[in-house]
């Protein structure tokens, strides 16, 4: 069994739509080996998974909760034409599963990365309404309408920081484990529609963001191209995350701890 002494370990969980289920596979191994997690920062789906994990849910419980989610639960006709859906269903979901709706009451320090599209920069939220912060972090352009905060419009944190390594480092981590769930794979089938073309294009743009040198270990578990909305592949994605953790995370810790 691995032992950990005086090492503050932080997780940086990327965005990536449904590919975020791979985060659960990595967390499953982290729980199995009782690897301590001292802080978490997440972007988009990484913020959703990160907040749920930080609230104290076991990975088994998280898989049960998230496996019941369907796209119809996450969409609502918006009050403005700035997106296909309002992000309110995401906010309601978080309030339902984390009733205290507070950063301060989480068992593990957590921050959600958002993008201010009015001023053009990203930053991390660590106080205020937890559900609202996660909604902002998950407000994918074109899908969800922007959310206003302090006179600015907030959207998906991935626009500037899809893998929030620097945020985790700033939180005080000695060791940052980055989990990037964007596919590390060539496109094997031609896109069949406009959404698939956009999805692939956005993945490539996000993948072009440089990985911070403060990332001690980078896991890229999604080795097959899976679109951000292939919800039927959740279990496959969990297995990918678990495989990456067993093949890369455990050997890494065995060398450095």
């Amino acid at each position: 069994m691995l032992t950990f002494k005086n090492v503050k370990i932080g997780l940086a969980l990327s965005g990536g739509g449904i590919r975020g289920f791979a985060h659960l596979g990595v967390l499953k191994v982290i729980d199995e080996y009782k690897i301590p997690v001292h802080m978490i920062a997440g972007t988009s789906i990484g913020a959703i998974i990160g907040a749920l994990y930080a609230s104290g849910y076991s990975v088994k419980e998280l898989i049960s909760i998230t496996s019941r989610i369907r796209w119809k639960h996450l969409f609502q006709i918006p009050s403005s034409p700035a997106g296909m859906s309002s992000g309110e269903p995401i906010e309601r979901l978080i309030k339902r599963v984390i009733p205290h709706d507070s950063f301060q009451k989480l068992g593990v320090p957590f921050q959600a990365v958002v993008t201010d599209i009015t001023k053009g920069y990203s930053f991390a939220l660590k106080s205020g309404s937890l559900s609202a912060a996660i909604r902002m972090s998950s407000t994918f352009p074109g899908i969800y309408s922007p959310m206003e905060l302090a006179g600015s419009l907030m959207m998906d944190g991935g626009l500037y920081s899809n893998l929030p390594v620097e945020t985790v480092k700033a939180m005080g981590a000695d060791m940052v484990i980055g989990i990037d769930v964007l596919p590390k794979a060539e496109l094997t089938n031609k896109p069949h529609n406009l959404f698939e073309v956009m999805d692939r294009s956005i993945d490539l743009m996000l993948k072009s963001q440089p990985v911070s040198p403060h990332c001690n270990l980078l896991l890229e578990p999604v080795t097959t191209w899976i679109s951000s909305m292939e919800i039927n592949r959740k279990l496959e994605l969990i297995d990918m995350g678990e495989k990456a953790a067993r093949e890369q995370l455990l050997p890494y810790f065995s060398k450095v701890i």
Side-chain angles (χ1 to χ4, degrees):
M1 184 65 69
L2 300 174
T3 59
F4 302 85
K5 295 181 180 179
N6 304 317
V7 178
K8 293 182 179 179
I9 299 171
L11 301 181
L13 307 184
S14 84
I18 207 66
R19 284 82 58 103
F21 273 80
H23 290 313
L24 294 175
V26 177
L27 292 172
K28 179 181 178 181
V29 175
I30 285 175
D31 273 7
E32 179 183 338
Y33 283 84
K34 296 181 171 56
I35 298 170
V37 175
H38 299 94
M39 58 210 71
I40 304 170
T43 296
S44 199
I45 186 64
I48 295 173
I49 299 294
L52 291 172
Y53 187 71
S55 72
Y57 282 106
S58 69
V59 174
K60 184 177 180 180
E61 290 171 325
L62 288 182
I63 292 173
S64 176
I65 291 168
T66 54
S67 293
R68 295 195 298 269
I69 297 172
R70 301 291 181 268
W71 285 121
K72 65 181 181 180
H73 301 147
L74 301 177
F75 285 86
Q76 174 180 303
I77 300 298
S79 57
S80 76
M84 292 191 296
S85 172
S86 163
E88 290 179 20
I90 296 175
E91 194 169 350
R92 287 197 299 267
L93 171 67
I94 298 301
K95 285 181 178 178
R96 187 165 67 248
V97 294
I98 310 178
H100 59 69
D101 198 26
S102 168
F103 283 88
Q104 283 66 41
K105 292 183 180 180
L106 295 173
V108 176
F110 166 78
Q111 295 185 16
V113 177
V114 302
T115 297
D116 181 333
I117 64 168
T118 302
K119 299 175 182 176
Y121 69 100
S122 69
F123 64 99
L125 290 170
K126 57 183 177 181
S127 62
S129 169
L130 178 65
S131 60
I134 293 171
R135 172 183 169 183
M136 293 179 213
S137 183
S138 306
T139 301
F140 194 77
I143 303 296
Y144 294 109
S145 302
M147 188 173 176
E148 189 169 338
L149 177 68
S152 290
L153 294 176
M154 301 297 153
M155 296 206 75
D156 196 300
L159 296 176
Y160 278 91
S161 181
N162 198 52
L163 183 66
V165 170
E166 288 295 327
T167 300
V168 179
K169 188 66 178 179
M171 292 171 74
D174 300 315
M175 182 184 296
V176 181
I177 308 301
I179 308 171
D180 183 357
V181 298
L182 294 178
K184 185 184 179 183
E186 293 183 1
L187 191 63
T188 53
N189 297 312
K190 291 182 179 180
H192 294 96
N193 53 53
L194 177 60
F195 177 80
E196 289 186 358
V197 172
M198 290 176 59
D199 196 40
R200 177 63 174 180
S201 300
I202 291 169
D203 280 352
L204 294 173
M205 286 190 288
L206 295 179
K207 268 292 189 184
S208 70
Q209 293 179 4
V211 177
S212 166
H214 289 129
C215 186
N216 298 96
L217 176 66
L218 175 64
L219 300 181
E220 296 175 289
V222 184
T223 54
T224 300
W225 192 75
I226 298 174
S227 84
S228 64
M229 297 189 75
E230 287 190 80
I231 202 165
N232 60 311
R233 301 181 75 174
K234 292 180 290 190
L235 296 180
E236 181 182 351
L237 287 158
I238 293 171
D239 288 343
M240 286 182 178
E242 182 176 353
K243 182 175 185 289
R246 294 193 187 282
E247 292 182 352
Q248 295 174 258
L249 184 67
L250 295 181
Y252 174 77
F253 277 131
S254 68
K255 293 178 181 178
V256 301
I257 297 297

